[in-house]
Amino acid sequence: MARGSLDWIDRELEALGAKGLRRALEPIGSPQGPEVEVGGRRLVNLCSNDYLALAADPRLRRAAAEAAEREGAGSGASRLVAGDLPVHGALERALAAHAGTEAALLFGSGYHANAGVPAALVGRDDAVFSDVLNHASILDGCLLSRAELVRYRHCDVEELADLLARTRARRKLVVTDAIFSMDGDAAPLRELADLCDRHGAMLYVDEAHAEGVLGPRGGGLAEALGVADRVDVHMGTLGKALGAAGAFVAGERRLVELLVTRARTFVFTTAPAPAASAAALAALGIVATEPERRARLAALVARMKAGLTRLGFDVARVAAPIFPVILGDEARAVAASQALRERGFYVRAIRPPTVPRGTSRLRVTLTAGHTDAQVDAFLAALEEVLPGVATG
Ligand SMILES: Cc1ncc(COP(=O)(O)O)c(C=O)c1O
């Protein structure tokens, strides 16, 4: 029975629809992979974050099933109450070894980690400096911290230097995506680390799209750039390249000890399900022993980059398997997505508020499971549909 007090929602949804901004769920009828079933059709999947093609790997599935048998389907409580299960500790030890840090702490998701960790590090007398293109979860975490929020222009180290020089905050936290989620470009981590050293600021790096993908050991962008030991807070996710679910913060033991007490999104939530943590643990083993997955992905990224450049897209700054195919207004992005789907490719349109107005796009992603032929066929299909969407 509809309640009158919610009538405003009809008008809100209508207004969103009129602006092309209404979002809708679309069930996927198969496990995650380079091809997925959508609406009864098999499509080449170019929009997952399953970068190492591990989400459906039999080893992860087996580890998840065994953990559910051994430790239960759910953890039943928060870590600090009665939910601290053996698999959580085992995964945290493996994550610390993977990140090369003293300790690591698990979170339910990357969103949880970013929403809760800043507030454990800074508060009212402090300032947090955040790249304008940082992920929404980082922005939310900064706002929740109640520290002064200072947003600097995308990757603009000079502006940040200026802002740091002028602040009178007690503690300073600089936070950045390693790889920006909608553009695929890399943060200037070495320059950011230099600035943090100069100004006594903490450096927080969200490696969500680089974890498992970049670096000789798959440790992320900071590892790739040789600055991992200059990052105070290494945040990584387990639901993207690692094929499972959850996230972690790795760093010094005292940092982790503080988070156990202070990070509200760690304290006040049920511990991750054993199956998810066990799958992530299995994935870490694969990241360590199968570097050829990263190499394969890098080769596919180079192929896509060359192809999109040929079609006139500016992807020179792309450093990861994420390509922004920027089409401008929402209608063009939606039309291109639809036309590609008719040709057998699944690429969702990304619109405001996820990306700035006027930069609606297809966010094209690759996984180690794709083939050269799939990349080439996609590029040919894109070339074919572009004239149609250009004219509206
Ligand atoms: C940069 C970045 N950080 C954090 C997250 C959130 O991670 P999760 O999906 O594990 O909540 C995402 C994407 O989802 C992301 O792109």
Side-chain angles (χ1 to χ4, degrees):
M1 195 41 187
R3 284 170 48 78
S5 50
L6 297 183
D7 283 353
W8 64 272
I9 293 180
D10 296 330
R11 295 188 291 278
E12 191 77 19
L13 289 174
E14 219 168 277
L16 285 169
K19 285 188 248 166
L21 295 178
R22 187 159 168 187
R23 301 174 183 224
L25 291 168
E26 181 158 52
I28 301 293
S30 62
Q32 192 53 257
E35 287 185 10
V36 283
E37 198 184 295
V38 192
R41 286 180 64 210
R42 257 196 112 64
L43 302 174
V44 175
N45 178 13
L46 293 165
C47 51
S48 85
N49 300 317
D50 183 25
Y51 303 124
L52 294 179
L54 291 177
D57 187 284
R59 293 165 288 181
L60 271 70
R61 293 181 187 213
R62 206 173 313 120
E66 285 170 7
E69 285 292 339
R70 192 178 64 239
E71 298 184 29
S75 54
S78 70
R79 290 286 295 287
L80 286 166
V81 178
D84 188 13
L85 300 174
V87 69
H88 299 136
L91 177 55
E92 285 170 344
R93 286 187 292 280
L95 284 166
H98 159 80
T101 57
E102 285 177 352
L105 186 67
L106 265 179
F107 284 81
S109 70
Y111 193 96
H112 277 81
N114 285 337
V117 172
L121 303 175
V122 286
R124 284 189 198 283
D125 299 328
D126 308 320
V128 56
F129 300 82
S130 174
D131 189 295
V132 289
L133 291 190
N134 277 345
H135 190 256
S137 55
I138 293 182
L139 181 60
D140 292 353
C142 293
L143 292 171
L144 279 173
S145 77
R146 295 188 172 89
E148 181 195 357
L149 172 60
V150 186
R151 300 178 82 195
Y152 59 91
R153 281 192 297 271
H154 183 49
C155 292
D156 191 334
V157 177
E158 278 174 26
E159 187 187 28
L160 178 60
D162 237 37
L163 294 165
L164 281 167
R166 281 194 272 126
T167 184
R168 300 173 58 187
R170 176 187 59 163
R171 284 201 290 267
K172 300 170 271 286
L173 176 67
V174 172
V175 55
T176 186
D177 283 17
I179 294 295
F180 289 85
S181 54
M182 295 297 138
D183 294 85
D185 57 332
L189 292 187
R190 180 176 300 280
E191 291 78 1
L192 294 181
D194 289 345
L195 272 185
C196 287
D197 284 352
R198 200 169 320 135
H199 294 280
M202 299 172 276
L203 180 58
Y204 180 138
V205 179
D206 173 343
E207 297 271 11
H209 297 280
E211 202 72 57
V213 171
L214 299 180
R217 296 166 51 253
L221 179 66
E223 181 189 288
L225 298 176
V227 296
D229 59 347
R230 301 179 65 196
V231 172
D232 296 297
V233 183
H234 170 164
M235 178 273 183
T237 53
L238 305 172
K240 303 188 194 300
L242 279 95
F248 67 93
V249 166
E252 293 185 23
R253 188 167 307 284
R254 57 190 174 173
L255 167 71
V256 166
E257 280 179 15
L258 181 73
L259 295 180
V260 166
T261 299
R262 280 265 182 86
R264 292 167 66 84
T265 55
F266 172 82
V267 176
F268 298 108
T269 191
T270 300
S277 296
L281 188 53
L284 274 184
I286 295 170
V287 165
T289 54
E290 297 182 9
E292 61 275 16
R293 283 178 185 264
R294 282 189 287 287
R296 170 73 193 134
L297 185 56
L300 286 164
V301 166
R303 195 176 188 93
M304 182 69 91
K305 197 168 180 171
L308 288 174
T309 304
R310 214 166 39 242
L311 295 184
F313 291 100
D314 179 11
V315 289
R317 285 170 53 82
V318 164
I322 302 170
F323 294 89
V325 174
I326 296 180
L327 296 169
D329 69 50
E330 293 87 55
R332 283 192 76 197
V334 171
S337 168
Q338 191 52 39
L340 285 163
R341 179 184 297 222
E342 282 155 19
R343 288 161 176 79
F345 299 92
Y346 191 49
V347 201
R348 301 298 293 267
I350 308 286
R351 295 167 279 173
T354 308
V355 293
R357 189 159 296 286
T359 72
S360 286
R361 67 195 67 186
L362 302 173
R363 173 183 181 268
V364 180
T365 57
L366 290 170
T367 77
H370 283 113
T371 63
D372 289 354
Q374 285 170 330
V375 172
D376 295 347
F378 167 72
L379 289 164
L382 182 63
E383 187 167 16
E384 211 176 284
V385 309
L386 281 175
V389 301
T391 55

